[in-house]
Amino acid sequence: MKKINVIFVVFFLSYASINAQWIKDSIPTTDWFYDIHYAGSNTLYVSGSYGRIYKSTNRGQNWSVQQTSTQREVGAVYFINQSTGFAITGDYYSPYGGEIFKTTNGGLNWVNKFTSGIICFRHALHFIDANTGYAGGWSLLSDSAIFKTSDGGETWHPVIVSGLFGVDKFSFINSYTGWAAGYGYNKEFVVKTTDGGSNWFMVYTDPVHTDYFYSLQFLNANTGWVIGLKSAGPSLIIKTTDGGVTWTHQYHNHTTNWELYDIHMINENTGWIVGDVGVIVKTTNGGANWRAQINPSFGLAMFAVYFSGVDTGLAVGMMGRIIKTVNGGGPVSVSNVSTEVPASFTLYQNYPNPFNPETRIRYSLPRSSFVNLVVYDALGRVVQTLLNNENQAAGTYEAVFDASRIPSGVYYYRLTAEGFSETRKMVVIK
């Protein structure tokens, strides 16, 4: 059975800090946070350890704690309206098992509606309507990883799916069509329903039985992603454009063999993935490129991510960690591409140029320097500060500038370091 491996990183990231990207906003608790759910009207819920659920009515500025009657981890929460919601719990150690809770007063009280000693509910929870919902987890028995309610969560019954031992996440695009990432018989697979969850059939399985699927998201009947880990290789990102019949691998620029736990695509181009040791990667081109963003809590796993638009988002994880962004997580990181000491300070022409939406800006430092790298518009106004007085060792560096949120036009980027200053022109064409 799969287990989440927590890796504590003791090395230093060779990424430069970037202004106003992800900002720590931890709740004063050591609880681990596993899921984020937006219940409308500025109300957010975060599920935690020890049976606790955290609620905010101002989009995460302040939080209050709600306590269920369990000490198990609350893997997911789901609200069908402002008052009525559900939470699932699990314990995959001892004693093994899980519960389903319901509230009808916005979480002031949580009532246990179902307890099982054979299934550990994880992060799979979804309601099609006020009456019909599904919860999934890791089961000790084959074929019994999904439970269904038809009476608003009052009673729950198993949905038999042949060979299915576990479900980690659901993704529905309407009341009939949905997918789930799961596993069984030592292999991972994706199952699909076209009748509202009454019946499920396999649409994809790991061909060599070495992958682990942790989460998935579909945007429409054709386009979806599954994320996780390849046991003998890098983190796993696969995409389908035909509803799950065929899949292609996507890769990112964060060198890692760590698990990827959650994905949130806000449209077919833009989305984020979070994972173990605080990995955050973003795409603005449908996953053709995934670029790393800087997490101020790097070293602590992030289990869930949620964005309400292209700019405003939250991610949650270990040790009470909540991080926020109001600019889409900021631009991608600046990476060291060569440690060979160059002969002089150099700012190279960006490539490609013209570009849309991303371009690379490369520069060389002959000695350790405090570096500023800023993008300006044609009127001299600051568009983005890529580096703000950052101390960098001698070498050659490359920054990736994302222009997806600015209009077409002429822009300038300026490098200043230890008495050196140079400006170059670049052009955005959309």
Side-chain angles (χ1 to χ4, degrees), residues 256-276:
T256 175
N257 291 333
W258 303 316
E259 291 96 334
L260 300 178
Y261 293 133
D262 196 27
I263 179 171
H264 188 184
M265 301 292 299
I266 60 172
N267 54 49
E268 290 198 29
N269 292 317
T270 303
W272 295 259
I273 293 173
V274 297
D276 207 1

Side-chain angles (χ1 to χ4, degrees), residues 1-4 34 70-76 87-100 114-125 135-142 144-147 164-170 181-183:
M1 181 168 290
K2 298 180 302 184
K3 293 182 180 179
I4 295 175
Y34 300 104
T70 186
Q71 290 296 301
R72 290 186 167 115
E73 298 168 347
V74 183
I88 55 176
T89 74
D91 186 344
Y92 51 88
Y93 295 112
S94 179
Y96 195 88
E99 300 136 321
I100 302 176
F114 179 78
T115 300
S116 172
I118 66 168
I119 186 167
C120 164
F121 291 112
R122 297 296 297 158
H123 312 297
L125 179 62
W138 302 351
S139 177
L140 294 176
L141 300 178
S142 175
S144 300
I146 298 177
F147 282 74
L164 189 68
F165 276 92
V167 169
D168 276 316
K169 204 67 176 283
F170 295 120
Y183 72 98

Side-chain angles (χ1 to χ4, degrees), residues 12-16 334-342 344-346 363-371 387 389-398 415 417-418:
F12 177 75
L13 277 179
S14 60
Y15 298 138
V334 176
S335 58
N336 179 250
V337 295
S338 175
T339 57
E340 182 178 347
V341 178
S344 61
F345 288 100
T346 306
Y363 58 93
S364 295
L365 308 174
R367 58 183 180 271
S368 177
S369 308
F370 286 90
V371 180
L387 290 172
N389 202 35
E390 188 71 24
N391 189 11
Q392 293 184 310
T396 299
Y397 295 81
E398 185 176 84
L415 177 73
E418 301 296 322

Side-chain angles (χ1 to χ4, degrees), residues 12-219:
F12 177 75
L13 277 179
S14 60
Y15 298 138
S17 297
I18 299 171
N19 284 353
Q21 44 170 8
W22 290 94
I23 301 170
K24 287 191 292 186
D25 186 37
S26 302
I27 296 175
T29 179
T30 58
D31 287 3
W32 289 24
F33 298 142
Y34 300 104
D35 187 37
I36 307 168
H37 182 77
Y38 175 60
S41 189
N42 297 320
T43 301
L44 292 166
Y45 289 86
V46 171
S47 66
S49 49
Y50 303 106
R52 288 192 276 268
I53 298 166
Y54 291 79
K55 178 180 181 179
S56 173
T57 57
N58 53 13
R59 288 185 175 267
Q61 295 182 42
N62 304 101
W63 298 88
S64 59
V65 62
Q66 302 175 345
Q67 182 68 54
T68 65
S69 60
T70 186
Q71 290 296 301
R72 290 186 167 115
E73 298 168 347
V74 183
V77 287
Y78 193 100
F79 275 74
I80 58 177
N81 56 46
Q82 286 290 299
S83 299
T84 304
F86 301 85
I88 55 176
T89 74
D91 186 344
Y92 51 88
Y93 295 112
S94 179
Y96 195 88
E99 300 136 321
I100 302 176
F101 288 87
K102 179 179 180 179
T103 181
T104 56
N105 56 12
L108 292 177
N109 305 102
W110 291 90
V111 180
N112 188 322
K113 295 295 181 178
F114 179 78
T115 300
S116 172
I118 66 168
I119 186 167
C120 164
F121 291 112
R122 297 296 297 158
H123 312 297
L125 179 62
H126 183 84
F127 271 73
I128 294 173
D129 54 43
N131 293 315
T132 307
Y134 293 87
W138 302 351
S139 177
L140 294 176
L141 300 178
S142 175
D143 309 341
S144 300
I146 298 177
F147 282 74
K148 176 181 179 179
T149 181
S150 300
D151 57 7
E154 295 300 314
T155 59
W156 295 82
H157 306 282
V159 176
I160 303 302
V161 182
S162 179
L164 189 68
F165 276 92
V167 169
D168 276 316
K169 204 67 176 283
F170 295 120
S171 181
F172 279 80
I173 60 169
N174 54 45
S175 59
Y176 298 101
T177 305
W179 294 259
Y183 72 98
Y185 297 129
N186 296 317
K187 62 182 178 182
E188 306 288 307
F189 49 77
V190 178
V191 293
K192 180 179 181 179
T193 180
T194 56
D195 61 3
S198 296
N199 296 283
W200 299 80
F201 56 92
M202 186 184 303
V203 293
Y204 177 75
T205 185
D206 162 29
V208 293
H209 301 171
T210 61
D211 296 348
Y212 299 98
F213 299 162
Y214 290 124
S215 187
L216 82 169
Q217 183 184 359
F218 275 77
L219 295 178

